[in-house]
Amino acid sequence: MNILEIRTLRGPNYWSGYWKKLIIMRLDIEDYEQKPTDKIKNFYERMQEVMPSLQTHGCSYKEEGGFYKRVKDGTWAGHVIEHFALELQTLAGMDVGYGRTRETGEPGIYNVVFAYFEEAVGQYTARAALRLFLELAEGKSIEQIKQTLADEIQEMREIRERVRFGPSTGSIVEEAESRDIPYIRLNDQSLVQLGYGVYQQRIQATVTNRTNMISVDIAANKAATKKLLGEMGVPVPKGFRIREESEVKSTLESVGFPVVVKPLDGNHGRGATVGIETLEEAIAAFHVAQEQSRSKYVIVEKMLAGNDFRALVVNNRLIAIAERTPAHVIGDGENTIQQLIDRVNSDPRRGYGHENVLTQIDVDGQTEQILKLKDYALETVLPTGEILHLKTTANLSTGGTAVDRTDEAHPENIFLFERIAKIIGLDICGIDVIAPNLSEPLRENGGGIIEVNAAPGFRMHLSPSEGIGRNVAEHVVDMLFPPGRPSRIPIFAITGTNGKTTTTRFIAHILRGSGLTVGFTTTDGTYIQNNQIVAGDNTGPVSAQLVLKDPSVQVAVLETARGGIIRSGLGYDHCDVAVVTNIAADHLGLKDINTLEDLARVKAVVPRSVSRKGFAVLNAEDENVYRMRKMVDGSVVYFSMDENNENIRRHARRGGISCVYENGFITLLKGRWKVRVEKAINVPLTYGGRAEFMIQNVLAATLACFVHGVSLEDIRVGLTTFTPSTAQTPGRMNFVEIKDFTVLMDFAHNPAGLTGLQNFINKLPYEKRTGVLSGVGDRRDEDLREMGRLCAETFDKLIIRRGDYLRGRTQEEVYTLLQNGIAESDKKLDFEIVHESKDAIFRALDTAEKGELVVILADTVNKDMNYVSQYREQIA
């Protein structure tokens, strides 16, 4: 048994309407194809012993113990591995509940699908679940399996901590999601974009794109911060900045004990030592601090008496206050320090990393240094009542605790904290205070400000160990997206088999003409306005997110192909307008998409992603497309070449909106009323109304823009100014005159597309027609034969060339299938094989006669256009 492929879906997909984050594991179960679990010796009993928690899985029985019953009665390996993958993540602290196992068209090959929270954990889980099944099935000892399982669960926890958002970033993202504000993670750390396009805001942890960098520099320089605050009347402890060990003694004489020693430009408490009472301790602390200081400067300052508080100010308003206590143990006169630490860590609120409210206390170098200074070891029995701090700082991430004190703050202190944030200039400001309490003014109880922090952590406020948790992220999102400020740009998503690229470009053209900055993706590249940003087939989620990340884009128009949907899902959570042009045989037999119904299920992901206020624009003549109406949460509108189509008539009777071709016009139907937009002969893309498949694209584009609110005047202007040229529609009905014959380049690459092109060519006045066809391999046998037959009926002469996409076939197989199709036609066709694309095109052009039409069925559009250009230059 082995894994053939692991794919990650990160957005709306064709497996689940709710879970957007899925792992698809393509599994070859080999010897277990005819060996269900009831045929594997002791599998059921061994599984119960190793994973008793699976008792909670109801499976198809939908009751506790249901999965156990399935295993006992006999179920397939893929199904068991699916449940293992779900339970492993749950045991590691990530409770996910979606899983499916499906057979493919290939014997012994299954798709095991399960949800994940963190992608790296999901991929690790896929392999761990397979290992667990094999170890149980192949008789490995129970003790060994349990040990491996424990190690893998811990590894999953560690992976999660490495890759997931920290508590601060995660809380802001979660708050944004609750308001339907989309986000895109911009790196593997905490840099996140909230919102799309021109409306985006960025955060990095708790720094935002509004954060003033001068203010960050001030806060990072503790001496500069203290000087500025002191000059403004803020109470700060006495202290000095030093760089040499020789300065420590004189500084201590001036400041007096106890002191705090910390890096000038450190953060998160790294390198800080508190409560220093001797010169020797101070010198040791000086070197620790200097190691953490980028500038090598160290602050030595008077240690204030009192408790440690953190005040959080967002957008110049005090939001929360927490009292912090470093990780510590309290002696009982009986247990060692290590035993006391173990007792504290047994608190169920403590977990690994950020998985629980509190973090387990680790014995690290800092702890060992503290013990050494006190002449203690981990084996020392701590006297009764003695409090031993195990860290020098009170960070929750090192095992500290926090108590919410927000409601206890004196009004004078609230004013002081908000004033400090304004003085430093930080939009999100963490203020560290040492004072006996905050219910009295600091000027009265001797408290003071010891630090001001840019990018303060939120965890102590979100989940204090005592008191009320504060939703501080709410105030950050309020600041970034105040009431009335949008976070989304309109998204048009276009899918289908044929006509996607032309419709995408047409919609982008109309929207651009209405005054908007448009970003759009197609099979030939990604564009901002008319500027190509990236070349190539850009119809997947990565290209979509490129457009959505661009800060100049006001509207996105995204061609969305089956390949990207299958590989990764959509690159956005929902769209405003979805267009489905048609469903026809293309790329069938790949990735378990074997029928038109399978293909429709994949394409339906796009209209299914329409928001409740959005529109799905569907082809009323295509039953596979028309059926998608039932999956749409928003409104549904239709287009058709026939105003008397029964689906159109039914929709009109209900007062719905459609776009039809009637009496030579592109016409909108609004209930029983007609609004004629433009004559088809005035739309250059239709070639005087002769290219019916182009009229379909015009109908779809017109309707999509109309329901979005584009004015009829802007739509008319767009229809009449969009020309079928190599600039606006590369590879789509491009005519080029060379000497005394004509070249037509088109991307017709499947039987449906070629049939549409054949109907158009038959209306043209050319007596002789030559075709140049690519022998591509990513089609079913019957599709390739049909392409050959259609070419025989369309052309007088055919040149077949090597295709760029063989997908596992040999070129000879492809040639043979095309020739078989040619032989099926009643028409005798003169054809030859010229392997290289350039040679094939030049051959067709060299032998073209006066008045002949040479049709190049473009496999790779840009290359073919370049070859034609080279030929024109050569004969010039």
Side-chain angles (χ1 to χ4, degrees), residues 160-221:
R160 177 196 58 198
E161 291 304 308
R162 290 198 297 269
V163 301
R164 76 170 177 175
F165 289 133
S168 303
T169 308
S171 68
I172 297 173
V173 169
E174 184 178 326
E175 177 65 24
E177 284 190 293
S178 74
R179 304 184 189 195
D180 197 34
I181 297 172
Y183 77 93
I184 300 174
R185 191 170 188 171
L186 299 176
N187 64 7
D188 59 0
Q189 301 298 314
S190 55
L191 182 61
V192 180
Q193 174 183 314
L194 303 177
Y196 288 152
V198 71
Y199 298 124
Q200 67 180 267
Q201 301 286 328
R202 290 180 183 172
I203 62 168
Q204 182 160 291
T206 60
V207 173
T208 77
N209 49 267
R210 294 165 48 109
T211 303
N212 186 299
M213 292 312 296
I214 294 176
S215 302
V216 172
D217 284 345
I218 294 171
N221 187 317

Side-chain angles (χ1 to χ4, degrees), residues 669-680:
L669 300 182
K670 301 168 70 176
R672 63 191 181 90
W673 299 101
K674 292 182 179 180
V675 179
R676 287 178 168 173
V677 182
E678 187 58 78
K679 284 186 175 181

